[in-house]
Amino acid sequence: IRKMLRNLGLAGHRKVKKPRRHRQRRERRPRFGELIQQDTSPHDWLGTGRIYHMVAAIDDATSRLLHAELFDADGTLANMAVMKTVFLKYGLPMAVYTDKASWFHVNPRKQRLPFDPEVEVKVRAITQIGRALKRLGVDLIPAHSPQAKGRIERLNATLQDRMIAELKLAGIR
């Protein structure tokens, strides 16, 4: 009946409001080496029941795996070791894209800002990784959701699926 009334011009068209997309897709960087995504994946990588933390870095433009390494624990030293290896092999990127882990970014809600009486403002805290990257002239970009780091998250899932079987076939323990 509604279609007939609309066709006769007796009923108005209801505009359906489309829901806004929550986040916009971030475009890939155009050239190799401009942006590196880095993430850690805790998993039983060797199939022994022991959890290791694989820190991996990929190029944003090509999704090429630049380096991956297993560590006993995740943190500043593990992530800096991977960054050092990548930087020495491929050169410095313009930026590194990471999650908001505490060794990358200081949570402003949790930090107690020291007061500097000379400038009469609170000084913003920075992590060791943040300080090192700043000194090198490399930006540290926080991802605001796991979906924002989709490329590295998909790599982690692929490696968890395939690498364990390959290591087992090769007899690597």
Side-chain angles (χ1 to χ4, degrees):
I1 293 176
R2 190 175 73 220
K3 278 186 179 181
M4 290 189 308
L5 290 174
R6 252 196 263 151
N7 290 336
L8 294 172
L10 299 173
H13 292 280
R14 255 190 328 158
K15 286 191 175 184
V16 177
K17 194 173 184 178
K18 290 183 181 179
R20 283 187 59 209
R21 286 177 48 189
H22 179 61
R23 288 184 168 56
Q24 227 177 348
R25 285 185 69 108
R26 183 185 58 77
E27 292 296 319
R28 286 179 183 254
R29 292 289 175 104
R31 288 178 292 284
F32 176 82
E34 281 188 24
L35 178 70
I36 292 172
Q37 290 190 27
Q38 187 164 315
D39 193 32
T40 302
S41 178
H43 192 68
D44 178 13
W45 290 100
L46 303 177
T48 61
R50 182 173 176 201
I51 300 295
Y52 287 96
H53 299 263
M54 185 191 66
V55 180
I58 64 168
D59 173 61
D60 184 66
T62 62
S63 293
R64 178 177 160 193
L65 177 61
L66 303 177
H67 188 73
E69 192 170 335
L70 295 177
F71 294 92
D72 288 327
D74 191 14
T76 301
L77 295 177
N79 283 279
M80 286 183 105
V82 169
M83 285 181 188
K84 179 181 178 183
T85 303
V86 170
F87 295 173
L88 289 173
K89 187 171 182 179
Y90 299 101
L92 291 176
M94 293 173 66
V96 176
Y97 197 62
T98 65
D99 56 17
K100 291 184 177 179
S102 61
W103 37 88
F104 294 119
H105 306 278
V106 177
N107 184 342
R109 292 188 190 125
K110 292 182 181 176
Q111 72 178 346
R112 293 194 176 146
L113 298 173
F115 186 76
D116 188 347
E118 289 183 17
V119 290
E120 296 183 6
V121 294
K122 290 187 174 186
V123 180
R124 179 150 244 205
I126 188 169
T127 63
Q128 292 293 329
I129 292 175
R131 189 175 0 272
L133 290 176
K134 185 176 181 180
R135 203 160 174 200
L136 292 170
V138 177
D139 291 331
L140 182 59
I141 304 170
H144 299 292
S145 68
Q147 293 81 5
K149 300 183 297 114
R151 290 176 191 95
I152 189 86
E153 296 291 348
R154 283 189 295 279
L155 170 80
N156 287 338
T158 301
L159 290 177
Q160 284 179 9
D161 184 44
R162 296 181 186 167
M163 195 168 90
I164 296 168
E166 291 294 326
L167 291 173
K168 203 176 277 188
L169 284 173
I172 297 172
R173 309 182 105 240

